[in-house]
Amino acid sequence: MKTMFTDCRIVSLHTDVTEQQGYQVQENMMIAVENGVISALGSSLPSDGFTHVSLENRLVTPGLIDCHTHLVFAGNRANEFEQRLNGVSYQDIAAQGGGILATVNATRKASLESLIELALPRAKALISDGVTTVEIKSGYGLTVNDELKMLRAAKMVGREANIHVTTTLLGAHALPPEFAGRGNDYIDLVCNEMIPAAAEENLADAVDVFCEGIGFSKIQMQRVFEAALSHGLQIKGHTEQLSNLGGSALAAQMGARSVDHIEYIDLSGVEALAANNTVATLLPGAFYFLRETQKPPIDLLRKNHVPMAIATDFNPGTSPFASLTLMMNMASTFFGLTPKETLYGVTKHAAQALGLNKGQLAIGFDADFAVWDLSEPAELSYQIGVTGLHARYLNGVKANDH
């Protein structure tokens, strides 16, 4: 299939976002797409044999990519939100069976079909924000069967919602109650049963670990990563969210595509990211919802030219926000990122965090793009609630979202 898109105002992303011309809008452009891939761009292209589609001088960006979500789960934690605002501590809520274990219990009880049904509106909310690719993690099952159930649901969400989905096994998210006091035994289960089962069914693209005092240690994370790599899966980490355990540096040294949260990362950790071309994924929704005060070291990341991605971290406990453009705004208002940096963060750098050939309007990249009724790219980080999305294209084919 060959399609020529004409009358485009293309937002092109240059190599380094820190350059003065980090992006530019090119007027009156054409985009040639063959077999789902961009084959040519220019102001005048030979178009014999192509189907012509005019985008009527609208702004065209790469399709947005949400590279960190927990979109599949059952239940909600609105009651805990209310309890916290009424002065009940997180520890008391957890002692009452709340916190992540409340979501685990609800997710274990839910059928595959109900998990899909619950996740679809969340995916559609992201779609209305111009998202064409979303990463979905497991992590609320914490048994082999329930983790695989979540990954199957994630793949079905992609097919039913018409959005590209990458899946991440986050079996090492929390210690399930049946393994209380036996963290290493649970890691044995993750390494010896969960990862091989997910790999055998081709259900996961990557494996993630929550490396934190309330999660798993660096040694345990290393064991999980070694198992993942031995099965040909990518690795990534929830690291340095609440403290500095050095997990980011270890993950980067082992080849992690990204490390996420990183509020407490130090200079040695940042230098490890830079040396290993590991993406720093910022999650401002969790920072906001938890009313944190420790910000990621943005200037240090900039100084070391570490690519920064931005994601929703959509989840029921700490970031219940299904809007990637809201995260762009939060990344600017809370962390001080420029609109250029936020656009890179949800396109080029988000694609890098997932190891995908997406996120750029350039020859050889997948033809996933968003078409906007906007005058300039900065509006994506500026206006909340009215995104201005006109259409999404996946592999050069218009998605029937409206």
Side-chain angles (χ1 to χ4, degrees):
M1 183 175 178
K2 299 170 64 175
T3 306
M4 182 68 69
F5 295 91
T6 62
D7 308 308
C8 307
R9 300 176 61 234
I10 292 177
V11 181
S12 61
L13 308 181
H14 300 298
T15 302
D16 189 348
V17 69
T18 61
E19 293 177 359
Q20 186 175 7
Q21 295 298 323
Y23 62 45
Q24 64 181 16
V25 178
Q26 297 175 290
E27 306 284 346
N28 301 313
M29 293 290 286
M30 303 170 73
I31 307 172
V33 176
E34 299 184 51
N35 299 317
V37 176
I38 297 172
S39 59
L41 299 102
S43 57
S44 179
L45 298 174
S47 57
D48 289 346
F50 284 81
T51 300
H52 284 229
V53 176
S54 173
L55 297 183
E56 301 175 335
N57 294 313
R58 290 185 172 89
L59 196 71
V60 184
T61 69
L64 305 191
I65 299 170
D66 194 350
C67 63
H68 181 133
T69 83
H70 306 255
L71 216 63
V72 172
F73 60 87
N76 73 72
R77 309 242 287 275
N79 62 322
E80 295 179 18
F81 174 61
E82 186 172 17
Q83 284 180 286
R84 288 200 305 272
L85 292 173
N86 282 313
V88 181
S89 72
Y90 181 82
Q91 289 83 356
D92 287 342
I93 292 172
Q96 298 165 12
I100 187 174
L101 293 183
T103 303
V104 170
N105 290 333
T107 302
R108 286 179 174 181
K109 293 175 183 176
S111 66
L112 173 67
E113 293 73 20
S114 64
L115 288 177
I116 295 167
E117 183 179 354
L118 289 166
L120 280 171
R122 303 161 190 161
K124 290 176 180 177
L126 292 175
I127 284 169
S128 70
D129 247 13
V131 174
T132 54
T133 298
V134 59
E135 183 253 23
I136 302 178
K137 302 179 190 294
S138 64
Y140 293 122
L142 309 185
T143 69
V144 174
N145 289 337
D146 288 308
E147 288 293 296
L148 299 184
K149 177 178 66 175
M150 292 185 69
L151 294 173
R152 293 187 190 104
K155 286 186 173 290
M156 287 301 299
V157 167
R159 288 191 279 270
E160 294 194 23
N162 200 13
I163 186 171
H164 295 305
V165 168
T166 70
T167 50
T168 298
L169 174 65
L170 182 56
H173 190 195
L175 190 62
E178 60 269 26
F179 280 87
R182 297 189 296 126
N184 286 331
D185 290 342
Y186 180 64
I187 292 299
D188 287 342
L189 176 73
V190 172
C191 294
N192 300 331
E193 298 184 40
M194 202 176 284
I195 289 173
E200 183 177 358
E201 288 192 46
N202 197 29
L203 289 175
D205 302 297
V207 171
D208 198 348
V209 178
F210 183 36
C211 181
E212 192 54 75
I214 60 172
F216 298 93
S217 69
K218 272 176 57 177
I219 293 173
Q220 290 169 330
M221 181 175 73
Q222 182 174 350
R223 288 182 56 202
V224 173
F225 284 169
E226 287 171 348
L229 293 169
S230 73
H231 285 85
L233 301 176
Q234 297 179 20
I235 58 173
K236 53 202 304 152
H238 280 61
T239 55
E240 271 73 68
Q241 179 184 9
L242 305 173
S243 62
N244 183 12
L245 298 184
S248 297
L250 175 63
Q253 290 157 3
M254 293 187 70
R257 295 281 188 181
S258 73
V259 291
D260 303 14
H261 287 291
I262 65 159
E263 282 88 341
Y264 285 84
I265 195 171
D266 59 13
L267 175 60
S268 63
V270 170
E271 289 176 342
L273 303 189
N276 293 279
N277 201 28
T278 301
V279 176
T281 300
L282 309 179
L283 305 174
F287 174 89
Y288 160 81
F289 197 71
L290 294 174
R291 294 188 288 185
E292 296 286 358
T293 57
Q294 177 81 20
K295 298 180 182 181
I298 301 301
D299 287 339
L300 197 59
L301 294 167
R302 286 175 177 147
K303 181 179 179 181
N304 286 273
H305 300 282
V306 174
M308 292 180 284
I310 299 164
T312 63
D313 189 20
F314 183 90
N315 74 78
T318 62
S319 189
F321 307 114
S323 171
L324 192 54
T325 55
L326 174 60
M327 297 304 108
M328 296 170 72
N329 178 272
M330 285 185 175
S332 293
T333 54
F334 292 138
F335 298 161
L337 271 67
T338 68
K340 290 179 183 178
E341 288 173 321
T342 65
L343 183 57
Y344 273 70
V346 298
T347 54
K348 181 180 179 181
H349 294 162
Q352 184 179 340
L354 298 176
L356 300 176
N357 191 46
K358 300 177 184 292
Q360 298 183 60
L361 297 179
I363 294 171
F365 283 79
D366 293 349
D368 293 353
F369 48 88
V371 183
W372 309 89
D373 288 314
L374 300 174
S375 60
E376 56 186 297
E379 290 183 66
L380 290 170
S381 298
Y382 160 71
Q383 181 172 256
I384 304 303
V386 183
T387 65
L389 180 69
H390 175 75
R392 295 184 315 138
Y393 286 83
L394 285 77
N395 298 113
V397 178
K398 187 176 182 180
N400 295 317
D401 300 329
H402 303 290

